[in-house]
Amino acid sequence: MVQGPPADSSGSRFTPLVVLELASDTNQDAIAWLLSRIRDQQQDGGAELLVEQLGPGVDAQEKENPNVFLVGATWQRLLSGAEDVGLFKEFNDGSMRGFTCANKHDFKDYQGDGDSFLSMAECQYIIKHLLDTLRAKQETHVPGHSEVKLYPGKSIVRRLQSKGILVQVFPLHEKEELKRLSFSWYGKVKLSLQPLDDIRHYYGEGQALYFCFLEYFTFALVPMALIGVPYYLFDWEDYDKYVIFAAFNLVWCTVILELWKRCSASLAYRWGTLSRKKAFEEPRPGFHGVLGFNPVTGREEPLYPHAKRLLRIYLVSLPFVLLCLYLSLYVMMIYFQMEGWALSVHDQEPSFWTGVLLFIPSIIYAVVIEVMNLIYRYAAEFLTEWENHRLESSYQNHLVLKVLVFNFFNCFASLFYIAFVMQDMVLLRQSLATLLITSQILNQFMEAFLPYWLQRRRNKKMMRKVQKRRTLEDKELPLAEQVRLEADMSTYLGTFDDYLELFLLFGYVSLFSCVYPLAAVLVVLNNITEVYSDAFKMCRVFKRPFSDPAANIGVWQLAFEAMSVIAVVTNCSLIGMSPQVKAYFPDSESQLILWTVAIEHVLLAFKFILSFLIPDVPKPIQISLARLEFESLEALKKKKMLEASESSEPVRSPEPSGWRPSEPRNGNETFGYGPFGLC
Amino acid sequence: MVQGPPADSSGSRFTPLVVLELASDTNQDAIAWLLSRIRDQQQDGGAELLVEQLGPGVDAQEKENPNVFLVGATWQRLLSGAEDVGLFKEFNDGSMRGFTCANKHDFKDYQGDGDSFLSMAECQYIIKHLLDTLRAKQETHVPGHSEVKLYPGKSIVRRLQSKGILVQVFPLHEKEELKRLSFSWYGKVKLSLQPLDDIRHYYGEGQALYFCFLEYFTFALVPMALIGVPYYLFDWEDYDKYVIFAAFNLVWCTVILELWKRCSASLAYRWGTLSRKKAFEEPRPGFHGVLGFNPVTGREEPLYPHAKRLLRIYLVSLPFVLLCLYLSLYVMMIYFQMEGWALSVHDQEPSFWTGVLLFIPSIIYAVVIEVMNLIYRYAAEFLTEWENHRLESSYQNHLVLKVLVFNFFNCFASLFYIAFVMQDMVLLRQSLATLLITSQILNQFMEAFLPYWLQRRRNKKMMRKVQKRRTLEDKELPLAEQVRLEADMSTYLGTFDDYLELFLLFGYVSLFSCVYPLAAVLVVLNNITEVYSDAFKMCRVFKRPFSDPAANIGVWQLAFEAMSVIAVVTNCSLIGMSPQVKAYFPDSESQLILWTVAIEHVLLAFKFILSFLIPDVPKPIQISLARLEFESLEALKKKKMLEASESSEPVRSPEPSGWRPSEPRNGNETFGYGPFGLC
């Protein structure tokens, strides 16, 4: 049932959407088999997609990989795929509903086949999903590669990926739209907001949420920065006044996180990801184990004992992380020794150069911190890989946890030490400033300019190569060259590093900005350049990433909230240590401490109550979600009533009986009403 | 379409399940209308139930209410009702699935029509649901009662209830089963566990969960009690040794609550309520407002502005609660004055009587606390009613919150004052003992023996009345008398007071048992008698309550967890105040406080991490829930595939498109995998 060559299949013009690159030494049998499986009808277990080999480049005599394939799909297939992945689209009545082919005409933007109802990013996401869920039938191995074992139900693409036969799968950029997007995003210096809907349209919800969070965070910092400037200008050496600033800090970090949840829920609702159901997660490509039956799906797949993973986590990873923390402490102590030495040199013979010398240890320490973070990052990835998590989400959570703990410790330990053990506010301010500025400069360089420079070199080489062959007046590359160029671009590794950077900046501001009020100003400036450099690298440096239908910033929300709890504790302690407050308790230090602790407990309790009282989802959205649920329940009831009146003794249906309109884990949350929320 | 008299309708024998009592002055038109609506076919908007007037009693000349009706249902109706309410039953493969009539034969206990597949409690719950969802059609008022306004879609039963025409609806006891249950429950003095499955079978899941929690709590206290006895016996006046006890306390209260969640989830899964969807909640009978359209259902119903409710809560209820707290503080201060006076009398001329006098203030204070709690309870109910909550659950949450805060404050304020302000451990121990013992004695009396004595008198009166007429050798009352007797029984007001009592006991033990190790022993003893007295009052004193398909102990879990956080703080402070620990910091009190606070913070952080790491649902249940969800997704996919192969261009279905297999709020929780949970 192999379809004809895609160019003339079913009369639709072929738009390449996704690129599959196989290793150049792949067996021809394997290629033919894979292509036929991709082209096969759905009934026969195929993906029913269009696929075409990429023609040779301009410089065909060069050693270039011939096994590059372009994948596309018919409009019908994309629509049914949209239903499979559970895409939410705007309905006629303005609500967001799961798309179904059956009533496609009731969706707002649907104007007919072949229109722009689905964005290119959505089409690419659908194709990726269809490729990922292309499963082995009775094959025991990939034809021509007997070492690549298969078993019924195994995702073919995942297996080829893990065995290195499938080098990469990536979606193609859309030159015209990218040009428009990049112009409105960072092309002009302007005071407008980011084009979030366009970003979402081009890169998907996960990316757009990151940029929205970055923007939100920057705006949230503006009041902080505005208060910080006069503090910095007028009270240069007056650390007493920081009590008000610390109190403000403490309220600020609680409130902005609560409001962000609501903001994120609104966006996710508008983009249709809020109530979208995640597909059943496949095991990640690197997962290995002994073949067995998955207790949930009943499918044959590798199983790895949970106990063994727990042993690896608690007996290897945990001690390793603790060892790294200890090392980081050790480095910190060396820094303090250097600091002391620099100070003693400066005190002996103060000059301009010894004044500069005072900053050197901090700068070195800041660089060392960044280097340690980087090395640790690789170690953490290796360890988490070795822990052999079954799901990508579980892998990500463990990685984030490892990296977060170390980065937090590495960046903030010295500041905590200076603040609470040495109680030296001048040194704290100086350290904070040096750390903040150095790490920002390093980050911007490593993150955007270095990759850009590398990419630019590659681009130029390709241009020169093409121009050798023929003259291109419009400077547009032909498709084959464009694809090969994109295949060579760096792969975007997700928003992990971007969020991590924001997390650390949030820490600097929320924990210690009261002693260095300019911190907020610096972070605002950094964030503004960050928007530009991140936008730039997304558009010009990296391969287009597959869109990720995120409904929120996930584990990062938790991380930021944990940081805000630490911020409450830290700011309370800083307030308690201030001379101003100390003056109220001239006689008894323990009275002072007891009061500080009592107030801190009250504030923490208040923070928890506040986060409990403020509903995470704004009321209008709660109502419209509840309405959807109610309507589907009513429809089900009506349908049953109809069936019952048609036949008094209903026939047994082929559906399993576990099938209920929806089975939420927690009955109370069904209609989105919190315990003390709506009505 | 009114059915004939129920006795000969559709040939099924009529089993009365639920009693409806209308006011004796109800208009006959209204009665006829109500009965016909209850009997009407479902297609005509009726409840399709069987209903029959209760015959006159033995003593018919007496002024007894003639408007008592018995409601039953055909077997078919009960089964379709079970599907409507979303009852979960055990499937052939051992998993729990939502019951559907279409594949009733695939359920394990289904043996044919009319068998014991549904328990009587379930049948009664179904009938209650069907009665509650019996809605007005085009009637503008109840016939014969023009003051009882109706509008399309209004629940008839709720409106009749709120206008006092429907006096009560209650399920009938089942004499034989009740006798069996009460014998195995409290009839014999034994060392076995409670018959939880039987309790659930007879009273429903909510009741059974309470008794299970009571049992769990008692067992959890046993180690505490075992450690407490030698402490009490050998270290009578040695308060130094309580550090270890306090540390044990602190771990204990965290661990038992985490384990309870898992235990409760297992039970709820076994009973089929864990993944059961709550029905869309009707407005509570007392709710009033201006007619408008519900934004969720689109139905006409009274609306009450949320802002107005918030104003009532924050401007009236909150100040009232604060005022009561102040009053409670005031009473506490009077108690301390009495205490001081008694002590001075005892010090002047110590004798046996002045020794007794020392306990008098505590006893009086304990009684006053109970009385204040009782009065406050009524005020809180009035206020919460006045806040006009739309949903019963919201009403309950606000009531629980109000009562909890006051009760906590009222019971524990004096203990906190003695412990942390007066720092008098001898007085603390004495106060705690008096409070605990007095309140237990009062509670047991008020809760079980007083109602029992009242009920006994009523029973005897009825017996005498019946025996006047005819001689009953088997002492069995005829149905009419039985119904009227049960109608006169007190109404069980839910598990609120029972949980509240446990909550306070949990507080006494977790907060202060380290200074009075016998507390745990006393609570264990109290709980054992509590099981008997609660079981007794459920079986003999109260009307049978409608079953409540609870999946957990709801807001009480939160309350107990909040208490355990307070317990960590309290125990840390008690440890910090102990002479043993103080000896480590002979010079600096502030060092001692700082260390105590640091350790407390670490413990709190650890507690949160622990509650995050321990999955709330045991793994086998997570897996079986995930399997169900997976199967229903697969079935949907197959169905769509079938449809797609039947017609290339599918016809538009009448279902709304929001209809997806399930739309959980939070994609991550879909398959029950916590962030760091299962694989």
Side-chain angles (χ1 to χ4, degrees):
Chain A
M1 292 283 278
V2 182
Q3 287 191 337
D8 53 340
S9 80
S10 64
S12 71
R13 65 193 162 76
F14 174 73
T15 317
L17 291 168
V18 172
V19 177
L20 280 180
E21 184 179 348
L22 300 180
S24 52
D25 59 349
T26 311
N27 187 301
Q28 285 304 319
D29 288 351
I31 295 177
W33 167 78
L34 178 65
L35 295 190
S36 85
R37 287 304 314 275
I38 292 177
R39 285 176 188 143
D40 269 1
Q41 296 282 312
Q42 254 188 297
Q43 291 102 299
D44 307 323
E48 216 174 323
L49 295 172
L50 312 175
V51 57
E52 195 174 64
Q53 188 156 18
L54 185 71
V58 189
D59 234 0
Q61 82 278 19
E62 257 188 72
K63 270 214 289 185
E64 64 185 12
N65 184 355
N67 296 332
V68 178
F69 298 89
L70 300 174
V71 185
T74 63
W75 182 242
Q76 280 307 328
R77 185 66 188 121
L78 286 174
L79 284 185
S80 79
E83 190 173 343
D84 287 351
V85 299
L87 218 60
F88 268 60
K89 282 284 184 182
E90 195 175 354
F91 206 61
N92 267 339
D93 63 357
S95 65
M96 301 300 299
R97 303 194 175 200
F99 176 76
T100 51
C101 291
N103 38 13
K104 56 188 177 188
H105 295 285
D106 294 333
F107 285 85
K108 205 176 167 190
D109 298 322
Y110 190 87
Q111 275 132 13
D113 287 358
D115 67 0
S116 58
F117 180 64
L118 297 173
S119 72
M120 187 165 167
E122 281 166 344
C123 294
Q124 289 165 336
Y125 177 77
I126 291 165
I127 288 182
K128 176 168 186 283
H129 172 82
L130 295 177
L131 287 176
D132 272 349
T133 53
L134 183 63
R135 293 178 192 292
K137 290 189 288 190
Q138 297 308 320
E139 299 95 338
T140 54
H141 59 85
V142 172
H145 288 270
S146 56
E147 81 281 8
V148 185
K149 295 267 177 290
L150 285 174
Y151 45 87
K154 173 69 189 173
S155 162
I156 293 172
V157 166
R158 296 257 167 154
R159 173 47 52 97
L160 292 177
Q161 247 171 337
S162 67
K163 288 292 177 183
I165 293 181
L166 181 60
V167 180
Q168 58 179 350
V169 191
F170 64 92
L172 277 173
H173 269 300
E174 203 178 354
K175 275 282 155 189
E176 274 311 304
E177 208 185 322
L178 184 63
K179 214 175 268 173
R180 269 200 306 279
L181 174 67
S182 59
F183 181 73
S184 67
W185 199 358
Y186 66 88
K188 51 188 184 207
V189 178
K190 33 96 220 206
L191 279 167
S192 62
L193 301 176
Q194 296 176 82
L196 287 176
D197 285 320
D198 295 340
I199 299 171
R200 178 240 165 185
H201 192 258
Y202 194 82
Y203 287 109
E205 291 78 15
Q207 283 302 319
L209 269 178
Y210 163 69
F211 282 103
C212 182
F213 183 68
L214 177 58
E215 190 172 290
Y216 175 86
F217 181 46
T218 311
F219 277 108
L221 277 170
V222 167
M224 260 328 226
L226 287 182
I227 300 174
V229 171
Y231 258 81
Y232 186 76
L233 292 181
F234 303 124
D235 300 315
W236 181 259
E237 292 294 313
D238 179 7
Y239 300 109
D240 301 6
K241 299 259 165 64
Y242 68 69
V243 174
I244 305 163
F245 204 84
F248 176 74
N249 223 336
L250 193 150
V251 176
W252 172 81
C253 65
T254 305
V255 170
I256 63 154
L257 286 179
E258 281 306 310
L259 293 184
W260 164 251
K261 268 193 255 174
R262 292 168 68 89
C263 174
S264 142
S266 304
L267 277 178
Y269 177 74
R270 182 146 62 92
W271 293 339
T273 51
L274 188 62
S275 36
R276 177 159 164 196
K277 190 182 165 67
K278 275 206 176 145
F280 202 81
E281 241 181 307
E282 293 284 317
R284 49 193 304 267
F287 177 68
H288 57 86
V290 181
L291 264 195
F293 290 94
N294 181 321
V296 174
T297 60
R299 284 188 197 140
E300 206 176 6
E301 69 169 43
L303 298 180
Y304 187 78
H306 189 52
K308 218 163 152 186
R309 187 178 302 120
L310 283 182
L311 281 184
R312 287 186 171 189
I313 292 175
Y314 288 110
L315 294 187
V316 180
S317 297
L318 188 65
F320 175 78
V321 172
L322 293 177
L323 185 76
C324 288
L325 294 183
Y326 177 77
L327 260 178
S328 153
L329 262 188
Y330 197 81
V331 170
M332 182 183 91
M333 285 304 162
I334 296 176
Y335 155 64
F336 283 120
Q337 281 178 2
M338 277 166 59
E339 189 76 49
W341 169 79
L343 210 67
S344 70
V345 168
H346 179 70
D347 282 352
Q348 276 176 352
E349 280 178 66
S351 73
F352 171 74
W353 291 110
T354 57
V356 172
L357 186 69
L358 278 181
F359 283 90
I360 297 291
S362 293
I363 293 175
I364 294 178
Y365 185 51
V367 173
V368 169
I369 283 181
E370 289 293 315
V371 172
M372 281 169 70
N373 280 349
L374 213 68
I375 296 173
Y376 177 82
R377 175 70 193 278
Y378 287 109
E381 270 172 21
F382 174 80
L383 269 180
T384 317
E385 183 72 49
W386 178 71
E387 282 164 19
N388 196 16
H389 293 278
R390 188 175 157 268
L391 299 179
E392 184 64 30
S393 59
S394 161
Y395 170 85
Q396 282 295 336
N397 285 339
H398 277 88
L399 182 62
V400 167
L401 185 68
K402 279 195 196 71
V403 173
L404 223 56
V405 168
F406 182 78
N407 274 256
F408 177 80
F409 199 83
N410 206 11
C411 292
F412 297 117
S414 66
L415 298 177
F416 278 109
Y417 188 83
I418 297 172
F420 299 118
V421 181
M422 299 165 71
Q423 306 209 353
D424 181 344
M425 292 301 145
V426 185
L427 182 59
L428 179 59
R429 189 174 63 87
Q430 182 196 314
S431 277
L432 181 63
T434 325
L435 265 180
L436 197 55
I437 295 170
T438 318
S439 73
Q440 281 181 19
I441 293 173
L442 276 181
N443 254 318
Q444 297 276 1
F445 177 75
M446 297 280 290
E447 205 179 82
F449 298 109
L450 193 67
Y452 174 62
W453 180 72
L454 292 174
Q455 185 56 35
R456 216 182 148 87
R457 271 185 47 193
R458 249 178 271 145
N459 265 20
K460 280 195 177 149
K461 225 167 88 188
M462 180 65 87
M463 271 299 185
R464 245 178 283 127
K465 208 171 74 179
V466 174
Q467 279 168 343
K468 258 198 283 179
R469 296 274 137 192
R470 42 174 161 156
T471 35
L472 281 162
E473 57 281 355
D474 57 351
K475 286 200 162 190
E476 276 286 317
L477 287 170
L479 181 66
E481 265 62 43
Q482 178 61 33
V483 169
R484 284 181 204 279
L485 188 64
E486 286 187 25
D488 278 346
M489 285 169 113
S490 319
T491 305
Y492 181 67
L493 294 168
T495 45
F496 188 106
D497 289 295
D498 299 321
Y499 278 119
L500 184 62
E501 198 188 329
L502 285 188
F503 174 76
L504 295 177
L505 290 178
F506 179 71
Y508 286 123
V509 172
S510 62
L511 296 176
F512 295 112
S513 71
C514 60
V515 292
Y516 182 54
L518 264 198
V521 180
L522 287 177
V523 173
V524 167
L525 291 179
N526 175 73
N527 280 3
I528 292 172
T529 58
E530 183 84 21
V531 167
Y532 285 91
S533 67
D534 280 355
F536 179 77
K537 81 179 182 199
M538 287 303 301
C539 294
R540 301 288 291 275
V541 178
F542 289 117
K543 280 193 197 84
R544 186 176 189 168
F546 279 109
S547 83
D548 154 33
N552 48 48
I553 60 173
V555 68
W556 292 103
Q557 180 78 35
L558 213 65
F560 277 82
E561 272 166 25
M563 180 67 95
S564 84
V565 170
I566 298 172
V568 169
V569 178
T570 310
N571 279 292
C572 279
S573 320
L574 286 174
I575 292 175
M577 278 163 48
S578 75
Q580 256 189 329
V581 172
K582 271 184 179 159
Y584 283 103
F585 300 90
D587 311 320
S588 159
E589 204 190 348
S590 24
Q591 279 297 315
L592 166 67
I593 299 175
L594 283 179
W595 273 105
T596 311
V597 170
I599 289 170
E600 183 228 336
H601 278 73
V602 170
L603 283 174
L604 280 180
F606 186 70
K607 192 176 152 64
F608 279 102
I609 293 172
L610 206 70
S611 70
F612 190 73
L613 282 185
I614 300 178
D616 289 356
V617 177
K619 210 178 149 186
I621 294 177
Q622 276 181 34
I623 288 178
S624 83
L625 289 177
R627 192 172 53 220
L628 266 190
E629 189 127 357
F630 176 77
E631 279 174 17
S632 69
L633 270 178
E634 288 293 296
L636 188 76
K637 220 184 272 172
K638 230 177 249 168
K639 205 178 142 196
K640 272 193 189 140
M641 212 99 118
L642 273 172
E643 280 173 8
S645 63
E646 278 165 14
S647 61
S648 60
E649 178 71 22
V651 286
R652 289 171 63 178
S653 87
E655 287 173 62
S657 51
W659 174 246
R660 301 276 316 151
S662 73
E663 295 163 12
R665 287 293 85 77
N666 184 341
N668 294 329
E669 289 177 10
T670 308
F671 294 102
Y673 298 118
F676 294 93
L678 194 70
C679 349
Chain B
M1 292 285 278
V2 181
Q3 288 189 336
D8 52 342
S9 82
S10 64
S12 71
R13 65 194 162 77
F14 175 74
T15 318
L17 290 168
V18 172
V19 178
L20 280 180
E21 184 179 349
L22 300 179
S24 52
D25 59 351
T26 312
N27 189 300
Q28 285 304 317
D29 289 351
I31 295 177
W33 168 78
L34 179 64
L35 295 190
S36 83
R37 287 304 312 275
I38 292 177
R39 286 175 187 144
D40 270 1
Q41 295 284 310
Q42 251 187 301
Q43 291 102 300
D44 308 322
E48 216 171 324
L49 295 173
L50 311 174
V51 55
E52 194 175 65
Q53 190 156 16
L54 185 72
V58 188
D59 233 0
Q61 82 279 19
E62 257 188 70
K63 270 214 288 181
E64 65 185 11
N65 186 354
N67 297 332
V68 179
F69 298 89
L70 300 175
V71 185
T74 62
W75 181 243
Q76 279 308 327
R77 185 64 188 124
L78 285 174
L79 284 185
S80 79
E83 189 172 344
D84 287 351
V85 300
L87 218 61
F88 268 59
K89 282 284 182 184
E90 196 175 352
F91 206 61
N92 267 339
D93 64 356
S95 65
M96 302 300 298
R97 302 196 177 198
F99 176 76
T100 50
C101 291
N103 38 13
K104 56 188 176 190
H105 295 285
D106 294 334
F107 285 86
K108 204 177 168 190
D109 298 322
Y110 190 87
Q111 277 133 11
D113 289 357
D115 68 359
S116 59
F117 180 64
L118 297 172
S119 73
M120 186 163 167
E122 282 166 342
C123 295
Q124 289 165 335
Y125 177 76
I126 292 165
I127 289 182
K128 176 167 186 282
H129 172 82
L130 295 177
L131 286 176
D132 272 350
T133 52
L134 183 62
R135 296 179 191 290
K137 290 189 289 191
Q138 296 308 319
E139 301 95 338
T140 54
H141 59 85
V142 171
H145 287 269
S146 56
E147 81 283 8
V148 185
K149 296 269 177 291
L150 285 174
Y151 46 85
K154 173 70 188 172
S155 160
I156 294 172
V157 166
R158 297 256 166 156
R159 173 46 52 96
L160 292 176
Q161 246 171 338
S162 67
K163 288 291 177 182
I165 293 180
L166 181 60
V167 180
Q168 57 179 348
V169 191
F170 65 91
L172 277 173
H173 269 301
E174 203 177 355
K175 276 282 154 191
E176 275 311 303
E177 206 186 323
L178 184 62
K179 214 177 269 173
R180 270 201 305 280
L181 174 67
S182 60
F183 180 73
S184 68
W185 198 358
Y186 66 88
K188 50 186 186 215
V189 177
K190 32 98 222 207
L191 278 169
S192 62
L193 300 175
Q194 298 176 80
L196 287 176
D197 284 322
D198 295 341
I199 298 171
R200 179 242 165 183
H201 192 257
Y202 194 82
Y203 286 109
E205 291 79 14
Q207 284 302 319
L209 268 178
Y210 163 69
F211 282 103
C212 182
F213 183 67
L214 177 56
E215 192 172 288
Y216 175 85
F217 181 44
T218 312
F219 277 108
L221 277 170
V222 167
M224 257 332 223
L226 287 183
I227 300 175
V229 171
Y231 258 82
Y232 185 75
L233 291 180
F234 302 124
D235 300 315
W236 182 259
E237 293 292 314
D238 180 6
Y239 301 110
D240 301 7
K241 299 259 165 65
Y242 66 68
V243 174
I244 305 162
F245 204 85
F248 176 74
N249 223 336
L250 194 152
V251 175
W252 171 82
C253 64
T254 305
V255 170
I256 62 153
L257 286 178
E258 282 305 312
L259 292 183
W260 164 251
K261 267 192 256 175
R262 292 167 69 88
C263 173
S264 143
S266 305
L267 277 178
Y269 177 74
R270 180 146 62 91
W271 294 339
T273 51
L274 188 61
S275 37
R276 176 158 165 199
K277 191 183 165 66
K278 275 207 176 144
F280 202 82
E281 240 181 308
E282 293 284 315
R284 49 193 304 269
F287 177 69
H288 57 83
V290 181
L291 265 195
F293 290 94
N294 181 321
V296 173
T297 60
R299 284 187 196 141
E300 208 176 6
E301 70 170 43
L303 298 180
Y304 187 79
H306 189 53
K308 218 165 153 185
R309 186 177 306 120
L310 283 182
L311 281 183
R312 287 185 172 189
I313 293 174
Y314 288 109
L315 294 186
V316 180
S317 297
L318 188 65
F320 174 79
V321 172
L322 293 177
L323 185 75
C324 288
L325 294 183
Y326 177 78
L327 260 177
S328 154
L329 262 189
Y330 198 79
V331 170
M332 183 183 90
M333 285 304 163
I334 295 176
Y335 155 65
F336 284 119
Q337 280 177 6
M338 277 167 58
E339 189 77 47
W341 169 79
L343 210 66
S344 70
V345 168
H346 180 69
D347 283 351
Q348 274 175 358
E349 281 178 64
S351 73
F352 171 73
W353 291 111
T354 58
V356 172
L357 187 68
L358 278 183
F359 282 90
I360 299 290
S362 293
I363 294 174
I364 294 179
Y365 184 51
V367 174
V368 168
I369 282 180
E370 289 293 315
V371 172
M372 279 169 72
N373 280 348
L374 213 68
I375 296 173
Y376 177 82
R377 175 72 193 277
Y378 287 110
E381 271 173 21
F382 175 81
L383 268 181
T384 319
E385 183 72 50
W386 178 71
E387 282 164 18
N388 196 19
H389 293 277
R390 189 175 155 267
L391 300 179
E392 186 62 31
S393 58
S394 159
Y395 170 86
Q396 283 297 338
N397 284 341
H398 277 89
L399 182 62
V400 168
L401 185 67
K402 279 195 195 70
V403 173
L404 223 57
V405 168
F406 182 77
N407 274 256
F408 177 80
F409 199 82
N410 208 10
C411 292
F412 297 116
S414 66
L415 298 177
F416 277 110
Y417 188 82
I418 297 171
F420 298 117
V421 181
M422 297 164 73
Q423 305 209 353
D424 182 346
M425 293 300 146
V426 185
L427 183 59
L428 179 58
R429 191 175 61 88
Q430 182 195 314
S431 274
L432 182 63
T434 324
L435 266 179
L436 198 55
I437 296 170
T438 317
S439 72
Q440 281 181 17
I441 293 173
L442 275 180
N443 255 319
Q444 298 276 3
F445 178 75
M446 296 282 288
E447 207 179 79
F449 299 109
L450 194 67
Y452 174 64
W453 179 72
L454 291 173
Q455 184 58 34
R456 216 180 147 87
R457 271 185 48 191
R458 249 178 270 143
N459 266 19
K460 280 197 176 147
K461 225 168 87 187
M462 181 64 89
M463 271 298 185
R464 245 178 283 127
K465 209 170 74 180
V466 173
Q467 279 168 339
K468 256 196 288 180
R469 296 278 135 188
R470 42 174 161 157
T471 35
L472 283 162
E473 56 280 356
D474 56 352
K475 284 202 160 185
E476 275 287 317
L477 285 170
L479 181 67
E481 265 63 41
Q482 178 61 34
V483 169
R484 283 179 205 281
L485 187 66
E486 285 187 25
D488 278 346
M489 283 170 113
S490 317
T491 305
Y492 180 68
L493 293 168
T495 45
F496 187 106
D497 288 296
D498 299 320
Y499 277 119
L500 184 62
E501 199 187 329
L502 286 188
F503 174 75
L504 294 177
L505 291 178
F506 179 71
Y508 285 122
V509 173
S510 61
L511 296 177
F512 294 111
S513 70
C514 59
V515 292
Y516 182 54
L518 263 198
V521 181
L522 286 176
V523 173
V524 167
L525 290 178
N526 175 74
N527 280 3
I528 292 172
T529 58
E530 183 84 21
V531 168
Y532 284 91
S533 69
D534 280 353
F536 180 78
K537 81 179 183 198
M538 286 305 301
C539 293
R540 301 288 293 275
V541 178
F542 289 117
K543 281 191 196 84
R544 184 175 192 172
F546 278 109
S547 81
D548 154 33
N552 48 49
I553 60 173
V555 69
W556 292 102
Q557 180 76 37
L558 212 66
F560 277 82
E561 272 166 24
M563 180 67 97
S564 85
V565 171
I566 298 173
V568 169
V569 178
T570 310
N571 279 294
C572 279
S573 319
L574 287 175
I575 292 174
M577 277 163 49
S578 75
Q580 257 189 325
V581 172
K582 270 183 179 158
Y584 283 101
F585 300 91
D587 312 317
S588 160
E589 203 191 349
S590 23
Q591 280 295 316
L592 166 68
I593 299 175
L594 283 179
W595 272 106
T596 311
V597 171
I599 289 170
E600 183 228 336
H601 277 74
V602 170
L603 283 173
L604 281 179
F606 186 69
K607 192 177 154 63
F608 279 102
I609 293 172
L610 205 70
S611 70
F612 190 73
L613 282 185
I614 300 178
D616 289 355
V617 177
K619 210 177 148 187
I621 295 177
Q622 276 181 34
I623 288 178
S624 84
L625 289 177
R627 192 173 52 221
L628 266 190
E629 189 126 358
F630 176 77
E631 280 174 16
S632 68
L633 270 177
E634 288 293 296
L636 189 76
K637 222 184 268 173
K638 232 178 246 167
K639 205 177 141 197
K640 273 194 189 138
M641 213 94 123
L642 273 173
E643 280 173 8
S645 64
E646 278 166 15
S647 59
S648 59
E649 176 72 20
V651 285
R652 291 170 62 178
S653 87
E655 287 174 59
S657 50
W659 174 247
R660 299 276 315 152
S662 72
E663 295 164 13
R665 287 293 86 76
N666 186 342
N668 294 328
E669 288 176 12
T670 308
F671 294 102
Y673 298 117
F676 295 92
L678 191 73
C679 353

